[in-house]
Amino acid sequence: MTLPMTLDDLPTPCLVLDLGRLRRNLAAMQAAVDRHPGLVMRPHLKTAKSIEVAKLASPDFGPVTVSTLAEARYFAEAGWHDQIYAVGIVPAKLDAVAALNAAGADIKVITDDLEVARAIAAHPGPVRALIEVDVGEGRGGIPPEDPALTEIGAALGARLAGVLSHSGHSYNGRSPEEMAAIAEVERAGIVVAAERLRAAGLAVPIVSLGSSPTALYARRMDGVTDVRAGVYMFGDLFQAQLGTHAVGDIALTVLASVIGRSAARNTLLLDAGALALSKDRSTQAAPRDYGFGLVLDRHGAPLPGEPNIARAYQEHGEVRSEQPLPMLPLGARLRVAPNHCCLTAAAHDRYHVVDGGEEVLAVWGRVNGW
Amino acid sequence: MTLPMTLDDLPTPCLVLDLGRLRRNLAAMQAAVDRHPGLVMRPHLKTAKSIEVAKLASPDFGPVTVSTLAEARYFAEAGWHDQIYAVGIVPAKLDAVAALNAAGADIKVITDDLEVARAIAAHPGPVRALIEVDVGEGRGGIPPEDPALTEIGAALGARLAGVLSHSGHSYNGRSPEEMAAIAEVERAGIVVAAERLRAAGLAVPIVSLGSSPTALYARRMDGVTDVRAGVYMFGDLFQAQLGTHAVGDIALTVLASVIGRSAARNTLLLDAGALALSKDRSTQAAPRDYGFGLVLDRHGAPLPGEPNIARAYQEHGEVRSEQPLPMLPLGARLRVAPNHCCLTAAAHDRYHVVDGGEEVLAVWGRVNGW
């Protein structure tokens, strides 16, 4: 497919990324980070997985975060050398990291395990690690006060790069005040961990925390060197429910064609189903349940009655509304805003970039898989 | 990566496909279809999306079913010419179908819409269509007795290839008797539709119905020419809950590494999360809720207490159990049986084929996207 093209030229279903909204989301986050002098933004590229998006989020090839070896390789080869690979490492993956580092990258892994720390220290290739600290989410990491912290630090020795936490439970916050409170618990915890390691005579250059709500709402960041966030770039319905942005700021949508209609059932069928949207139901427990996504017009603007995708089959999305739906002709195009942009984006291999209008300005790739 | 290799050589997370189980599932379905003399199996390739699997499911390049244009192209180029593309067509997709047909394929589209039928009839390239008939699912299609049926048939004229139904609501059946009853409603309905069209002077060569439960449990198939099913090839936890096969027949699993452990929380973390497993929660409303998947040992055998994936983050799967979990070393490998094999498979671009053991016998590709 060659440019110029418009929304009508795109095969459906496919991703549409609004450049203006993306830029505004990036600027809003940068402003939030800039409230804290000296704090470095380390964007998490697991959402976008795209060099072109990374060029906007980290234009000077600054520090970034990744979630797979495939991302680490893709972004290292494209020039982002300072990476944290922020999923607990296992020994079998160290060779791949060390090979990328030997070729010029500086990919830091994370661990919360003494045996793995010893494997990292003993690895012949260049690889450093951060210790994963649990600040209340209860997923990975060890508590800041855990005696194992300094043992792991000592095992890593010169290969200790810092400490890292993730406050995924900030997504349970329902107001800026609640999210700010969770952020302060995270900050205090990760700083305690860093200070304990320093008191044991270890260097702790990186003190990294993050999640989009933490990054936006934290009131203090003293003792923290960098903050990680990813979902803010695109936004989604769940984030909008949290209040971190408005529905109108969601930059990523799925373009779909109407493939069925039933006035009797008051339904439309779209060719965007479970594979194109994902089966993420993040908004199920939120104040407003959008099913499998909010249906918008072809320009990404709201429709009367706010119809949503009530049922998602493999390739069919069934649109329902409490108001009578327009019985659009088959082939008419609509957009669907996702519950969870990370998962919806991962179903696709490219972005079609628009800027509020019909014209497709660019096609940007993604790196999927592991 | 080159063969020979074993499960230990595979980067995790990845798909493992057990050849023996796949062959047994295919044979069981063929036996069910062979109960009905003259009935043709038209396997749905939307689950496997793989030439190598299709060679086993349809070894003589017989009739198949697909769900995307990408599948249609991939399988047509590999030699499966007799296809039904079983998702409602829109005019913008007709050129692509007609181009494949002009190159030797015979891809039949489906519609339930008069305007689309006219567009099909008027298309300059070779393309035929089946009329989609609703036999109770209430998704797409028109009821067998709807006056529009013969109008659409007349509009298609010589391009009418037949009628098609899908009884997705057979998945609501909870016993062979219930599924057989739904199958008989489907059969009776689709035959009524075919007879009405024939009474109007139209040729209806194909009378196609299907779903895995229908294909397995239907007691009569008179008047039906072919039956479609796909999920039976791999099986999954939801199908096992329906009773269409045993958990031990599930041929598709995700191989994962232990990346975290907490005796205090009684959890393990795997590197198979929402992206590697999908967020499908099909078993949520089933008698047994497996979370985001059932955790098995590295050979695919059950573990004490039947631990499952209770929480799925983008790259983390949190294993929980009502019994104490073994605190396996990080890097240990486990397998996860999926809730819904179609969605889990779609997160990956290849299968690693084993036959009950450690050795990887082959790597088979998939066609994802649209």
Side-chain angles (χ1 to χ4, degrees):
Chain A
M1 193 173 300
T2 51
L3 300 172
M5 59 182 169
T6 73
L7 292 180
D8 280 327
D9 299 318
L10 299 179
T12 58
C14 70
L15 291 180
V16 174
L17 180 59
D18 189 281
L19 187 60
R21 293 182 182 191
L22 171 63
R23 287 187 193 278
R24 284 197 297 278
N25 295 342
L26 294 172
M29 179 59 82
Q30 193 60 54
V33 173
D34 288 345
R35 293 175 302 150
H36 309 284
L39 183 66
V40 169
M41 181 68 195
R42 183 185 283 278
H44 205 318
L45 302 176
K46 77 184 179 104
T47 306
K49 299 195 185 212
S50 167
I51 287 172
E52 302 300 328
V53 177
K55 283 179 180 170
L56 298 174
S58 178
D60 302 319
F61 297 97
V64 297
T65 318
V66 300
S67 68
T68 64
L69 277 174
E71 290 167 48
R73 185 175 297 113
Y74 169 86
F75 289 111
E77 290 172 355
W80 284 272
H81 290 157
D82 178 359
Q83 299 185 15
I84 295 176
Y85 171 22
V87 175
I89 198 75
V90 290
K93 295 181 183 177
L94 287 173
D95 286 354
V97 173
L100 290 167
N101 286 348
D106 178 21
I107 300 160
K108 291 155 284 283
V109 299
I110 71 170
T111 188
D112 62 1
D113 186 89
L114 184 58
E115 289 172 36
V116 173
R118 289 177 178 144
I120 293 165
H123 196 277
V127 55
R128 294 188 298 152
L130 294 88
I131 302 176
E132 186 177 8
V133 177
D134 177 27
V135 292
E137 184 184 31
R139 182 178 76 180
I142 52 176
E145 63 282 0
D146 194 312
L149 181 79
T150 47
E151 281 184 85
I152 295 171
L156 287 168
R159 290 195 162 180
L160 176 65
V163 287
L164 172 142
S165 63
H166 170 58
S167 53
H169 57 306
S170 64
Y171 296 126
N172 298 329
R174 286 293 174 274
S175 68
E177 289 67 30
E178 284 179 36
M179 290 186 269
I182 294 168
E184 176 54 18
V185 171
E186 180 175 15
R187 187 203 66 80
I190 195 74
V191 169
V192 163
E195 291 306 322
R196 284 191 59 221
L197 289 163
R198 287 173 182 141
L202 293 156
V204 185
I206 299 175
V207 181
S208 174
L209 56 68
S211 73
S212 289
T214 305
L216 286 170
Y217 295 116
R219 293 187 180 134
R220 294 174 53 185
M221 285 287 191
D222 42 301
V224 175
T225 64
D226 69 53
V227 60
R228 309 182 318 281
V231 70
Y232 71 98
M233 298 182 197
F234 295 163
D236 55 34
L237 295 167
F238 182 65
Q239 294 289 318
Q241 295 276 296
L242 293 181
T244 62
H245 60 73
V247 170
D249 294 328
I250 298 173
L252 186 79
T253 51
V254 174
L255 182 71
S257 296
V258 175
I259 61 167
R261 56 186 172 183
S262 168
R265 290 194 290 265
N266 193 37
T267 57
L268 295 172
L269 284 179
L270 302 185
D271 62 358
L275 288 192
L277 299 172
S278 94
K279 291 201 81 166
D280 192 281
R281 291 281 289 112
S282 295
T283 63
Q284 187 168 23
R288 175 74 191 271
D289 185 348
Y290 289 104
F292 295 93
L294 173 66
V295 180
L296 306 167
D297 76 10
R298 61 178 284 138
H299 298 107
L303 289 166
E306 297 198 331
N308 64 42
I309 304 289
R311 294 201 287 183
Y313 307 88
Q314 183 162 341
E315 297 294 347
H316 299 75
E318 186 182 273
V319 183
R320 288 193 174 265
S321 173
E322 294 182 5
Q323 294 184 19
L325 286 166
M327 290 295 109
L328 299 172
L330 271 60
R333 286 165 177 231
L334 296 169
R335 306 253 284 268
V336 183
N339 273 332
H340 185 173
C341 59
C342 306
L343 290 181
T344 299
H348 302 261
D349 63 0
R350 72 196 74 178
Y351 300 97
H352 303 91
V353 181
V354 300
D355 198 357
E358 289 280 309
E359 191 185 351
V360 178
L361 306 174
V363 179
W364 293 350
R366 275 179 56 88
V367 60
N368 288 319
W370 295 271
Chain B
M1 192 173 302
T2 51
L3 300 173
M5 60 183 168
T6 73
L7 292 179
D8 280 327
D9 299 317
L10 299 179
T12 58
C14 69
L15 291 180
V16 173
L17 180 58
D18 189 282
L19 187 59
R21 293 182 183 191
L22 171 62
R23 287 187 193 277
R24 284 197 297 278
N25 294 342
L26 294 173
M29 179 59 83
Q30 193 60 54
V33 173
D34 288 345
R35 292 176 303 148
H36 308 285
L39 184 66
V40 169
M41 181 68 196
R42 184 185 282 279
H44 205 319
L45 302 176
K46 78 185 178 103
T47 307
K49 299 196 185 210
S50 167
I51 287 171
E52 302 300 329
V53 177
K55 284 180 181 170
L56 298 175
S58 178
D60 302 320
F61 297 96
V64 298
T65 318
V66 301
S67 67
T68 65
L69 277 175
E71 289 167 48
R73 184 175 298 112
Y74 169 85
F75 289 111
E77 290 173 353
W80 283 273
H81 290 158
D82 178 0
Q83 299 185 15
I84 296 176
Y85 170 22
V87 175
I89 199 73
V90 290
K93 295 181 185 179
L94 287 173
D95 286 353
V97 173
L100 290 167
N101 287 349
D106 177 22
I107 300 161
K108 291 154 284 280
V109 300
I110 72 170
T111 188
D112 62 2
D113 187 88
L114 184 58
E115 289 172 37
V116 173
R118 289 178 179 143
I120 292 166
H123 196 278
V127 56
R128 294 189 297 151
L130 293 88
I131 303 176
E132 187 177 8
V133 177
D134 178 25
V135 292
E137 184 182 31
R139 182 177 76 181
I142 53 175
E145 63 282 1
D146 194 313
L149 181 79
T150 47
E151 282 186 85
I152 295 171
L156 287 168
R159 289 193 164 183
L160 176 65
V163 287
L164 172 142
S165 63
H166 170 58
S167 54
H169 58 306
S170 64
Y171 296 126
N172 298 330
R174 284 295 175 273
S175 67
E177 289 67 32
E178 284 178 37
M179 291 186 269
I182 294 168
E184 176 53 19
V185 171
E186 179 175 14
R187 186 203 67 81
I190 195 75
V191 169
V192 163
E195 291 306 321
R196 283 191 59 220
L197 289 162
R198 287 174 182 141
L202 292 156
V204 186
I206 299 174
V207 181
S208 174
L209 56 69
S211 73
S212 289
T214 304
L216 286 170
Y217 295 117
R219 292 186 183 135
R220 294 174 53 184
M221 284 288 191
D222 41 299
V224 175
T225 63
D226 68 52
V227 61
R228 308 181 318 282
V231 70
Y232 73 97
M233 298 182 197
F234 295 163
D236 56 34
L237 294 167
F238 182 64
Q239 294 289 319
Q241 295 276 295
L242 293 182
T244 63
H245 61 71
V247 169
D249 294 328
I250 298 173
L252 186 79
T253 51
V254 174
L255 183 71
S257 296
V258 174
I259 61 167
R261 56 185 172 184
S262 169
R265 291 193 290 265
N266 194 36
T267 57
L268 295 172
L269 284 178
L270 301 185
D271 62 358
L275 289 192
L277 299 172
S278 95
K279 291 200 83 166
D280 191 280
R281 290 281 289 113
S282 295
T283 63
Q284 187 167 21
R288 174 74 191 271
D289 184 349
Y290 289 105
F292 295 93
L294 173 66
V295 180
L296 306 167
D297 75 10
R298 60 178 286 140
H299 298 108
L303 289 166
E306 297 197 333
N308 64 41
I309 303 290
R311 294 201 287 184
Y313 307 88
Q314 183 162 342
E315 297 294 346
H316 299 74
E318 186 182 274
V319 183
R320 288 192 175 266
S321 173
E322 294 184 3
Q323 294 184 19
L325 286 166
M327 290 294 109
L328 299 172
L330 271 60
R333 287 166 175 229
L334 296 169
R335 305 254 284 269
V336 183
N339 273 333
H340 184 172
C341 60
C342 306
L343 291 181
T344 300
H348 302 260
D349 62 1
R350 72 197 73 178
Y351 300 97
H352 303 90
V353 181
V354 299
D355 197 357
E358 289 281 307
E359 191 186 350
V360 177
L361 307 173
V363 179
W364 292 351
R366 275 179 56 89
V367 61
N368 289 318
W370 295 272

